[in-house]
Short mmCIF file of all heavy atoms in Angstrom, two decimals:
data_model
loop_
_atom_site.label_atom_id
_atom_site.label_comp_id
_atom_site.label_asym_id
_atom_site.label_seq_id
_atom_site.Cartn_x
_atom_site.Cartn_y
_atom_site.Cartn_z
N ALA B 1498 137.96 128.69 -6.99
CA ALA B 1498 137.45 129.85 -7.71
C ALA B 1498 136.03 130.16 -7.34
O ALA B 1498 135.65 131.30 -7.14
CB ALA B 1498 137.61 129.65 -9.19
N ARG B 1499 135.26 129.12 -7.21
CA ARG B 1499 133.82 129.31 -6.87
C ARG B 1499 133.68 129.91 -5.47
O ARG B 1499 132.89 130.86 -5.25
CB ARG B 1499 133.04 127.98 -6.96
CG ARG B 1499 131.53 128.13 -6.75
CD ARG B 1499 130.79 126.85 -6.97
NE ARG B 1499 130.94 126.43 -8.37
CZ ARG B 1499 131.43 125.31 -8.79
NH1 ARG B 1499 131.91 124.43 -7.93
NH2 ARG B 1499 131.52 124.98 -10.09
N LYS B 1500 134.41 129.39 -4.52
CA LYS B 1500 134.36 129.90 -3.16
C LYS B 1500 134.86 131.36 -3.07
O LYS B 1500 134.33 132.14 -2.33
CB LYS B 1500 135.08 128.97 -2.19
CG LYS B 1500 134.37 127.66 -1.98
CD LYS B 1500 135.08 126.78 -1.00
CE LYS B 1500 134.37 125.45 -0.82
NZ LYS B 1500 135.07 124.54 0.11
N LEU B 1501 135.95 131.64 -3.79
CA LEU B 1501 136.47 133.02 -3.82
C LEU B 1501 135.44 133.94 -4.44
O LEU B 1501 135.27 135.05 -4.00
CB LEU B 1501 137.77 133.08 -4.56
CG LEU B 1501 139.01 132.70 -3.80
CD1 LEU B 1501 140.22 132.65 -4.65
CD2 LEU B 1501 139.20 133.66 -2.61
N ALA B 1502 134.77 133.46 -5.50
CA ALA B 1502 133.72 134.28 -6.15
C ALA B 1502 132.60 134.55 -5.14
O ALA B 1502 132.10 135.70 -5.08
CB ALA B 1502 133.17 133.57 -7.39
N ASP B 1503 132.24 133.54 -4.36
CA ASP B 1503 131.22 133.74 -3.34
C ASP B 1503 131.64 134.79 -2.29
O ASP B 1503 130.88 135.64 -1.92
CB ASP B 1503 130.87 132.43 -2.64
CG ASP B 1503 130.05 131.46 -3.46
OD1 ASP B 1503 129.52 131.91 -4.50
OD2 ASP B 1503 129.99 130.32 -3.10
N ILE B 1504 132.89 134.72 -1.87
CA ILE B 1504 133.45 135.73 -0.88
C ILE B 1504 133.37 137.13 -1.52
O ILE B 1504 132.89 138.07 -0.88
CB ILE B 1504 134.89 135.36 -0.49
CG1 ILE B 1504 134.90 134.10 0.36
CG2 ILE B 1504 135.52 136.50 0.24
CD1 ILE B 1504 136.30 133.50 0.55
N LEU B 1505 133.85 137.23 -2.72
CA LEU B 1505 133.84 138.56 -3.38
C LEU B 1505 132.46 139.10 -3.59
O LEU B 1505 132.22 140.31 -3.43
CB LEU B 1505 134.62 138.46 -4.70
CG LEU B 1505 136.13 138.29 -4.57
CD1 LEU B 1505 136.77 137.93 -5.91
CD2 LEU B 1505 136.74 139.61 -4.09
N THR B 1506 131.54 138.27 -3.97
CA THR B 1506 130.16 138.76 -4.22
C THR B 1506 129.36 138.99 -2.93
O THR B 1506 128.78 140.04 -2.77
CB THR B 1506 129.41 137.82 -5.16
OG1 THR B 1506 129.33 136.53 -4.62
CG2 THR B 1506 130.02 137.81 -6.55
N HIS B 1507 129.41 138.05 -2.05
CA HIS B 1507 128.56 138.10 -0.84
C HIS B 1507 129.16 138.94 0.27
O HIS B 1507 128.43 139.63 1.00
CB HIS B 1507 128.21 136.72 -0.32
CG HIS B 1507 127.38 135.95 -1.25
ND1 HIS B 1507 127.86 134.80 -1.86
CD2 HIS B 1507 126.16 136.11 -1.72
CE1 HIS B 1507 126.93 134.34 -2.71
NE2 HIS B 1507 125.87 135.14 -2.62
N THR B 1508 130.46 138.91 0.44
CA THR B 1508 131.12 139.67 1.55
C THR B 1508 131.53 141.06 1.10
O THR B 1508 131.39 142.01 1.82
CB THR B 1508 132.33 138.87 2.06
OG1 THR B 1508 131.90 137.56 2.45
CG2 THR B 1508 132.96 139.57 3.22
N LEU B 1509 132.07 141.16 -0.12
CA LEU B 1509 132.66 142.41 -0.59
C LEU B 1509 131.82 143.15 -1.60
O LEU B 1509 132.17 144.25 -2.11
CB LEU B 1509 134.06 142.19 -1.11
CG LEU B 1509 135.03 141.62 -0.04
CD1 LEU B 1509 136.34 141.29 -0.66
CD2 LEU B 1509 135.20 142.58 1.10
N GLY B 1510 130.66 142.63 -1.95
CA GLY B 1510 129.72 143.34 -2.81
C GLY B 1510 130.07 143.41 -4.30
O GLY B 1510 129.52 144.26 -4.99
N VAL B 1511 130.93 142.60 -4.78
CA VAL B 1511 131.30 142.55 -6.20
C VAL B 1511 130.17 141.91 -6.99
O VAL B 1511 129.56 140.92 -6.56
CB VAL B 1511 132.62 141.76 -6.44
CG1 VAL B 1511 132.93 141.62 -7.89
CG2 VAL B 1511 133.77 142.45 -5.71
N GLU B 1512 129.86 142.47 -8.11
CA GLU B 1512 128.81 141.90 -8.98
C GLU B 1512 129.36 140.66 -9.66
O GLU B 1512 130.43 140.66 -10.23
CB GLU B 1512 128.39 142.91 -10.04
CG GLU B 1512 127.69 144.15 -9.48
CD GLU B 1512 126.39 143.84 -8.79
OE1 GLU B 1512 125.68 142.91 -9.24
OE2 GLU B 1512 126.12 144.52 -7.76
N PRO B 1513 128.58 139.53 -9.65
CA PRO B 1513 129.05 138.25 -10.22
C PRO B 1513 129.48 138.38 -11.67
O PRO B 1513 130.50 137.75 -12.09
CB PRO B 1513 127.83 137.34 -10.13
CG PRO B 1513 127.03 137.91 -8.99
CD PRO B 1513 127.28 139.44 -9.08
N GLU B 1514 128.84 139.24 -12.47
CA GLU B 1514 129.18 139.35 -13.86
C GLU B 1514 130.55 140.03 -14.10
O GLU B 1514 131.13 139.97 -15.15
CB GLU B 1514 128.12 140.05 -14.67
CG GLU B 1514 127.76 141.41 -14.24
CD GLU B 1514 126.67 141.46 -13.14
OE1 GLU B 1514 126.22 140.40 -12.60
OE2 GLU B 1514 126.33 142.59 -12.76
N GLU B 1515 131.03 140.71 -13.04
CA GLU B 1515 132.37 141.33 -13.11
C GLU B 1515 133.53 140.38 -12.98
O GLU B 1515 134.68 140.72 -13.28
CB GLU B 1515 132.50 142.45 -12.04
CG GLU B 1515 131.55 143.59 -12.21
CD GLU B 1515 131.78 144.63 -11.15
OE1 GLU B 1515 132.64 145.52 -11.36
OE2 GLU B 1515 131.13 144.56 -10.06
N LEU B 1516 133.27 139.22 -12.40
CA LEU B 1516 134.32 138.24 -12.17
C LEU B 1516 134.74 137.48 -13.39
O LEU B 1516 133.98 136.68 -13.91
CB LEU B 1516 133.91 137.26 -11.03
CG LEU B 1516 133.75 137.91 -9.63
CD1 LEU B 1516 133.24 136.92 -8.67
CD2 LEU B 1516 135.11 138.46 -9.21
N ARG B 1517 135.92 137.78 -13.87
CA ARG B 1517 136.59 137.11 -14.95
C ARG B 1517 137.99 136.78 -14.55
O ARG B 1517 138.55 137.46 -13.67
CB ARG B 1517 136.62 138.00 -16.18
CG ARG B 1517 135.29 138.48 -16.74
CD ARG B 1517 135.50 139.44 -17.94
NE ARG B 1517 136.61 140.37 -17.80
CZ ARG B 1517 136.53 141.54 -17.15
NH1 ARG B 1517 135.37 141.92 -16.59
NH2 ARG B 1517 137.57 142.34 -17.11
N PRO B 1518 138.60 135.79 -15.12
CA PRO B 1518 139.97 135.44 -14.71
C PRO B 1518 140.93 136.60 -14.79
O PRO B 1518 141.85 136.70 -13.94
CB PRO B 1518 140.38 134.32 -15.69
CG PRO B 1518 139.08 133.71 -16.05
CD PRO B 1518 138.09 134.86 -16.12
N ASP B 1519 140.77 137.54 -15.78
CA ASP B 1519 141.72 138.55 -15.97
C ASP B 1519 141.38 139.89 -15.30
O ASP B 1519 142.12 140.85 -15.40
CB ASP B 1519 141.90 138.84 -17.46
CG ASP B 1519 140.54 139.33 -18.13
OD1 ASP B 1519 139.49 139.07 -17.59
OD2 ASP B 1519 140.64 139.94 -19.18
N VAL B 1520 140.28 139.95 -14.53
CA VAL B 1520 139.93 141.20 -13.90
C VAL B 1520 140.79 141.42 -12.67
O VAL B 1520 141.11 140.47 -11.93
CB VAL B 1520 138.43 141.23 -13.50
CG1 VAL B 1520 138.11 140.27 -12.35
CG2 VAL B 1520 137.98 142.66 -13.17
N THR B 1521 141.29 142.67 -12.49
CA THR B 1521 142.16 142.95 -11.33
C THR B 1521 141.29 143.32 -10.15
O THR B 1521 140.13 143.75 -10.30
CB THR B 1521 143.12 144.09 -11.63
OG1 THR B 1521 142.40 145.28 -11.88
CG2 THR B 1521 144.02 143.80 -12.84
N MET B 1522 141.91 143.26 -8.99
CA MET B 1522 141.25 143.66 -7.76
C MET B 1522 140.95 145.16 -7.80
O MET B 1522 139.90 145.60 -7.34
CB MET B 1522 142.08 143.32 -6.54
CG MET B 1522 142.33 141.78 -6.37
SD MET B 1522 140.84 140.78 -6.15
CE MET B 1522 140.72 140.02 -7.80
N ALA B 1523 141.85 145.94 -8.40
CA ALA B 1523 141.61 147.35 -8.56
C ALA B 1523 140.40 147.65 -9.46
O ALA B 1523 139.57 148.54 -9.20
CB ALA B 1523 142.86 148.07 -9.14
N ALA B 1524 140.25 146.89 -10.56
CA ALA B 1524 139.11 147.07 -11.42
C ALA B 1524 137.80 146.69 -10.72
O ALA B 1524 136.77 147.23 -11.07
CB ALA B 1524 139.29 146.20 -12.70
N LEU B 1525 137.85 145.83 -9.70
CA LEU B 1525 136.72 145.51 -8.94
C LEU B 1525 136.46 146.51 -7.79
O LEU B 1525 135.57 146.41 -6.99
CB LEU B 1525 136.84 144.11 -8.29
CG LEU B 1525 136.94 142.96 -9.29
CD1 LEU B 1525 137.20 141.64 -8.56
CD2 LEU B 1525 135.62 142.86 -10.09
N GLU B 1526 137.36 147.58 -7.79
CA GLU B 1526 137.29 148.67 -6.82
C GLU B 1526 137.50 148.19 -5.37
O GLU B 1526 136.89 148.71 -4.44
CB GLU B 1526 135.95 149.47 -6.98
CG GLU B 1526 135.81 150.08 -8.33
CD GLU B 1526 134.57 150.90 -8.50
OE1 GLU B 1526 133.83 151.12 -7.52
OE2 GLU B 1526 134.28 151.27 -9.64
N LEU B 1527 138.37 147.18 -5.23
CA LEU B 1527 138.76 146.76 -3.91
C LEU B 1527 139.98 147.57 -3.45
O LEU B 1527 140.99 147.55 -4.01
CB LEU B 1527 139.05 145.23 -3.93
CG LEU B 1527 137.94 144.30 -4.34
CD1 LEU B 1527 138.41 142.87 -4.24
CD2 LEU B 1527 136.72 144.51 -3.54
N ASP B 1528 139.78 148.25 -2.33
CA ASP B 1528 140.84 149.02 -1.77
C ASP B 1528 141.64 148.13 -0.75
O ASP B 1528 141.37 146.92 -0.60
CB ASP B 1528 140.32 150.31 -1.06
CG ASP B 1528 139.32 150.00 0.05
OD1 ASP B 1528 139.21 148.84 0.49
OD2 ASP B 1528 138.64 150.95 0.47
N SER B 1529 142.58 148.74 -0.05
CA SER B 1529 143.42 147.92 0.83
C SER B 1529 142.66 147.33 1.96
O SER B 1529 142.92 146.19 2.43
CB SER B 1529 144.61 148.78 1.40
OG SER B 1529 144.12 149.93 2.03
N LEU B 1530 141.61 148.05 2.44
CA LEU B 1530 140.78 147.46 3.53
C LEU B 1530 139.99 146.25 3.02
O LEU B 1530 139.92 145.25 3.69
CB LEU B 1530 139.83 148.52 4.03
CG LEU B 1530 138.83 148.08 5.15
CD1 LEU B 1530 139.60 147.56 6.36
CD2 LEU B 1530 137.91 149.20 5.54
N ALA B 1531 139.43 146.35 1.81
CA ALA B 1531 138.71 145.23 1.22
C ALA B 1531 139.67 144.06 0.95
O ALA B 1531 139.25 142.89 1.18
CB ALA B 1531 138.06 145.66 -0.10
N LEU B 1532 140.89 144.32 0.57
CA LEU B 1532 141.83 143.24 0.35
C LEU B 1532 142.20 142.60 1.69
O LEU B 1532 142.37 141.36 1.75
CB LEU B 1532 143.10 143.71 -0.33
CG LEU B 1532 142.92 144.18 -1.77
CD1 LEU B 1532 144.18 144.80 -2.34
CD2 LEU B 1532 142.48 142.99 -2.66
N ALA B 1533 142.26 143.35 2.77
CA ALA B 1533 142.49 142.79 4.07
C ALA B 1533 141.30 141.88 4.48
O ALA B 1533 141.47 140.80 5.03
CB ALA B 1533 142.68 143.87 5.12
N GLU B 1534 140.11 142.32 4.20
CA GLU B 1534 138.88 141.56 4.49
C GLU B 1534 138.89 140.29 3.68
O GLU B 1534 138.55 139.21 4.12
CB GLU B 1534 137.60 142.34 4.16
CG GLU B 1534 137.32 143.46 5.11
CD GLU B 1534 136.05 144.20 4.74
OE1 GLU B 1534 135.01 143.58 4.50
OE2 GLU B 1534 136.13 145.45 4.66
N LEU B 1535 139.36 140.39 2.38
CA LEU B 1535 139.46 139.19 1.54
C LEU B 1535 140.45 138.21 2.13
O LEU B 1535 140.18 137.05 2.19
CB LEU B 1535 139.89 139.60 0.10
CG LEU B 1535 140.15 138.49 -0.89
CD1 LEU B 1535 138.87 137.62 -1.07
CD2 LEU B 1535 140.65 139.01 -2.19
N GLY B 1536 141.58 138.70 2.60
CA GLY B 1536 142.59 137.85 3.20
C GLY B 1536 142.04 137.11 4.46
O GLY B 1536 142.25 135.96 4.66
N ALA B 1537 141.27 137.87 5.30
CA ALA B 1537 140.66 137.22 6.48
C ALA B 1537 139.64 136.16 6.06
O ALA B 1537 139.54 135.10 6.69
CB ALA B 1537 140.04 138.34 7.34
N ALA B 1538 138.85 136.50 5.07
CA ALA B 1538 137.83 135.53 4.59
C ALA B 1538 138.47 134.31 3.98
O ALA B 1538 137.99 133.19 4.18
CB ALA B 1538 136.93 136.21 3.53
N VAL B 1539 139.56 134.49 3.26
CA VAL B 1539 140.36 133.34 2.71
C VAL B 1539 140.85 132.47 3.85
O VAL B 1539 140.73 131.24 3.84
CB VAL B 1539 141.49 133.84 1.82
CG1 VAL B 1539 142.51 132.72 1.57
CG2 VAL B 1539 140.96 134.38 0.53
N HIS B 1540 141.39 133.10 4.89
CA HIS B 1540 141.86 132.35 6.01
C HIS B 1540 140.75 131.57 6.70
O HIS B 1540 140.87 130.34 7.00
CB HIS B 1540 142.56 133.26 7.08
CG HIS B 1540 143.17 132.49 8.16
ND1 HIS B 1540 142.54 132.36 9.42
CD2 HIS B 1540 144.35 131.81 8.24
CE1 HIS B 1540 143.34 131.66 10.18
NE2 HIS B 1540 144.41 131.33 9.50
N ASP B 1541 139.57 132.21 6.90
CA ASP B 1541 138.45 131.54 7.50
C ASP B 1541 137.93 130.37 6.66
O ASP B 1541 137.61 129.30 7.14
CB ASP B 1541 137.30 132.52 7.70
CG ASP B 1541 137.58 133.52 8.79
OD1 ASP B 1541 138.54 133.30 9.57
OD2 ASP B 1541 136.86 134.53 8.86
N GLN B 1542 137.86 130.59 5.30
CA GLN B 1542 137.29 129.61 4.41
C GLN B 1542 138.23 128.47 4.12
O GLN B 1542 137.81 127.30 4.03
CB GLN B 1542 136.86 130.30 3.12
CG GLN B 1542 136.28 129.35 2.06
CD GLN B 1542 134.88 128.82 2.43
OE1 GLN B 1542 134.04 129.57 2.89
NE2 GLN B 1542 134.71 127.55 2.30
N PHE B 1543 139.50 128.79 3.90
CA PHE B 1543 140.44 127.76 3.40
C PHE B 1543 141.50 127.36 4.43
O PHE B 1543 142.24 126.45 4.20
CB PHE B 1543 141.17 128.27 2.14
CG PHE B 1543 140.21 128.56 1.02
CD1 PHE B 1543 139.88 129.85 0.69
CD2 PHE B 1543 139.60 127.58 0.23
CE1 PHE B 1543 139.01 130.20 -0.33
CE2 PHE B 1543 138.74 127.84 -0.79
CZ PHE B 1543 138.44 129.16 -1.08
N GLY B 1544 141.63 128.11 5.52
CA GLY B 1544 142.61 127.80 6.52
C GLY B 1544 144.09 128.16 6.15
O GLY B 1544 145.00 127.63 6.69
N VAL B 1545 144.19 129.03 5.18
CA VAL B 1545 145.55 129.50 4.70
C VAL B 1545 145.61 130.98 4.72
O VAL B 1545 144.58 131.66 4.63
CB VAL B 1545 145.92 128.90 3.31
CG1 VAL B 1545 145.99 127.41 3.34
CG2 VAL B 1545 144.96 129.41 2.25
#
């Protein structure tokens, strides 16, 4: 969760205070391109 939060804040520009367990990716204003970037960052960070 901490590493994902870092990806979302540092790579995708999400404000840290917006990250809650129940917040959706849409509520964070992540579009399909941002979700693709998230997927690539997850692969780079976690190898999955």
